[in-house]
């Protein structure tokens, strides 16, 4: 009768224990054959298997959901805050803010109708404000890692200003070391 | 398997860049995983607003701890681990709040007879207007947390036994039996609505 000489699945409890692997196709060929034999003769168990398979199909077909449209903007705003407040323990990379600042300066210089003298004055003020960073700002130097994307110290200075727009670090340094900064930077 | 390998390779490169404070790389990581994470969290918490908040929190935590991420783990596993821990915390908070407001069946109770969803849960948001879809979502929510977590990760998010074992710090055998128990519980709940050919 039992040609493969395996333990026959005598009852529904035995069948039940094999179901998890059976529905995932992980049952050995021999066990699968035994179970199928039982299922062919047991309406209860075959109904259970059928319903289990349908349930799994339903789970696989559930609707996929996604976040609100403003998710990314909200997240980056939070990350900006984190960067701004964690400059002691983490290197800042306020690149978007940096870009904004540069764009802001550029816009000032390109407004039509602004007298050329004002533009030149703005350039001069900007240079004086930025150049002290070259030699006199150890805080800025430690902020910019060698492998970071901030390639020049002037950019690092800008980044520092961007991270701390109200603190106006560049202006503070101008007060402390005005002469040495100008001399160093204009040294031919 | 090849596709999975490529994904992991691309993830690895993104993580390396994100560790060097490359925001664009982190942005890419978020874009890759946010819907998976949201989809998972949505079915663990009581409202879409909570799901949105916890998904934000998942990526904020990932951002803060990206340097502690071990590259031998998969990014997928790591993010789901953060999300799962947040959901468990949230579940405890909700439970505490509820216990002040109204008595509710015990979470440990394996019965899913009490499948009436909370009023803040709106199944219409799932765009599942079919009766069966609504029943399925309600049955998932009525599962005990441990069973719901494994079935969401395995059958809905498609993670492997090994990944789930790593996420939950549980032996493989435990994960497998929980998945089966969860599927059986779902089947028993949905049986009256299933069109069987048998
Ligand atoms: Zn049977």
């Amino acid at each position: 009768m039992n040609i493969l000489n395996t333990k026959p699945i005598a009852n529904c409890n035995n069948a039940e224990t094999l179901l998890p692997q059976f529905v995932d196709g992980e049952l050995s060929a021999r066990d699968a054959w035994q179970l199928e034999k039982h299922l062919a003769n047991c309406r209860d168990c075959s109904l259970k298997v059928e319903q289990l398979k349908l349930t799994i199909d339903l789970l696989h077909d559930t609707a996929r959901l996604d976040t609100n449209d403003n998710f990314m903007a909200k997240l980056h705003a939070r990350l900006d805050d984190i960067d701004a407040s964690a400059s002691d323990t983490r290197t800042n990379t306020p690149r978007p803010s940096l870009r904004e600042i540069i764009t802001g300066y550029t816009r000032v210089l390109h407004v039509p109708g602004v007298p050329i003298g004002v533009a030149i004055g703005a350039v001069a003020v900007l240079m004086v404000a930025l150049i002290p960073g070259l030699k006199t700002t150890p805080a800025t130097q430690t902020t910019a890692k060698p492998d970071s994307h901030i390639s020049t110290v002037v950019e690092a200075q800008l980044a520092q200003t961007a991270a701390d727009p109200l603190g106006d670090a560049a202006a503070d340094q101008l007060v402390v070391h005005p002469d040495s900064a100008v001399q160093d930077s204009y040294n031919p | 398997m090849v596709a999975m390998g490529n994904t992991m390779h691309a993830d690895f490169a993104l993580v390396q860049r994100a560790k060097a404070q490359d925001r664009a790389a982190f942005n890419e990581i978020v874009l890759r995983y946010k819907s998976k994470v949201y989809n998972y969290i949505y079915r663990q918490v009581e409202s879409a607003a909570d799901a949105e908040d916890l998904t934000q929190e998942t990526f904020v935590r990932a951002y803060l701890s990206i340097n502690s991420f071990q590259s031998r783990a998969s990014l997928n596993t790591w993010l789901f681990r953060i999300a799962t821990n947040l959901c468990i915390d949230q579940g405890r908070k909700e439970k505490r709040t509820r216990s002040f407001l109204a008595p509710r069946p015990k979470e440990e109770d394996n019965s899913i007879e009490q499948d009436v969803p909370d009023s803040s849960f709106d199944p219409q948001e799932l765009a599942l207007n079919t009766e069966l879809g609504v029943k399925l979502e309600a049955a998932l929510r009525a599962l005990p947390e441990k069973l719901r977590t494994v079935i969401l990760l395995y059958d809905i998010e498609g993670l492997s036994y090994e990944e789930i074992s790593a996420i939950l710090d549980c032996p493989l055998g435990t994960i497998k039996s929980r998945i089966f128990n969860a599927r059986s519980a779902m089947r028993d709940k949905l049986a009256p609505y299933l069109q069987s050919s048998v």
Side-chain angles (χ1 to χ4, degrees), chain B residues 38-108:
Chain B
Y38 179 78
N39 197 58
Y40 169 62
I41 292 178
Y42 184 91
R43 292 184 167 97
Q44 290 274 37
V45 298
E46 294 192 350
S47 72
D50 284 351
E52 192 86 9
D53 288 349
L54 285 191
T55 307
Q56 287 268 338
E57 197 58 34
T58 298
F59 287 105
V60 166
R61 296 206 180 181
Y63 186 75
L64 288 171
S65 55
I66 189 87
N67 282 313
S68 69
F69 172 70
Q70 303 287 316
S71 297
R72 65 177 177 276
S74 83
L75 194 52
N76 203 29
T77 307
W78 187 63
L79 289 171
F80 273 113
R81 192 181 164 97
I82 297 173
T84 299
N85 289 337
L86 287 170
C87 288
I88 291 170
D89 286 349
Q90 176 83 3
R92 288 197 191 114
K93 267 186 234 160
E94 283 167 0
K95 221 163 145 187
R96 235 175 288 136
T97 312
R98 266 199 308 263
S99 67
F100 283 112
L101 300 175
R104 234 180 102 100
K106 271 192 181 165
E107 183 81 5
E108 285 69 31

Side-chain angles (χ1 to χ4, degrees), chain B residues 39-193:
Chain B
N39 197 58
Y40 169 62
I41 292 178
Y42 184 91
R43 292 184 167 97
Q44 290 274 37
V45 298
E46 294 192 350
S47 72
D50 284 351
E52 192 86 9
D53 288 349
L54 285 191
T55 307
Q56 287 268 338
E57 197 58 34
T58 298
F59 287 105
V60 166
R61 296 206 180 181
Y63 186 75
L64 288 171
S65 55
I66 189 87
N67 282 313
S68 69
F69 172 70
Q70 303 287 316
S71 297
R72 65 177 177 276
S74 83
L75 194 52
N76 203 29
T77 307
W78 187 63
L79 289 171
F80 273 113
R81 192 181 164 97
I82 297 173
T84 299
N85 289 337
L86 287 170
C87 288
I88 291 170
D89 286 349
Q90 176 83 3
R92 288 197 191 114
K93 267 186 234 160
E94 283 167 0
K95 221 163 145 187
R96 235 175 288 136
T97 312
R98 266 199 308 263
S99 67
F100 283 112
L101 300 175
R104 234 180 102 100
K106 271 192 181 165
E107 183 81 5
E108 285 69 31
D109 182 3
N110 273 23
S111 149
I112 55 168
E113 292 308 308
Q114 287 269 344
D115 68 345
V116 181
D118 286 79
S119 54
S120 56
F121 160 56
D122 177 11
Q124 298 304 318
E125 288 179 68
L126 295 170
L128 279 174
N129 298 323
T130 64
E131 189 190 0
L132 194 53
V134 173
K135 295 285 178 196
L136 179 103
E137 297 294 338
L140 276 172
R141 280 166 191 279
L143 285 177
E145 175 239 307
K146 282 180 176 162
L147 297 189
R148 184 175 59 241
T149 296
V150 293
I151 205 169
L152 291 180
L153 291 173
Y154 189 73
D155 279 322
I156 296 191
E157 302 310 324
L159 274 65
S160 68
Y161 295 137
E162 290 77 11
E163 286 176 310
I164 300 169
S165 166
I167 289 167
L168 300 178
D169 263 335
C170 277
L172 270 185
T174 308
I175 300 299
K176 287 182 181 181
S177 74
R178 275 190 202 164
I179 289 169
F180 182 66
N181 290 340
R183 284 171 160 185
S184 300
M186 290 296 290
R187 174 201 53 202
D188 293 346
K189 195 68 214 165
L190 296 175
Y193 314 100

Side-chain angles (χ1 to χ4, degrees), chain A residues 12 38 42 45:
Chain A
C12 298
H38 176 83
C42 178
C45 282

Side-chain angles (χ1 to χ4, degrees), chain B residues 9-29:
Chain B
H9 185 74
D11 280 352
F12 178 78
L14 284 173
V15 168
Q16 293 310 110
R17 285 170 53 204
K19 282 184 177 181
Q21 284 88 48
D22 181 341
R23 178 75 74 81
F26 189 79
N27 186 64
E28 182 65 30
I29 290 172

Side-chain angles (χ1 to χ4, degrees), chain A residues 11-13 15 38-39 41-46:
Chain A
N11 58 48
C12 298
N13 283 343
H38 176 83
L39 295 179
N41 295 307
C42 178
R43 202 183 175 278
D44 274 1
C45 282
S46 59

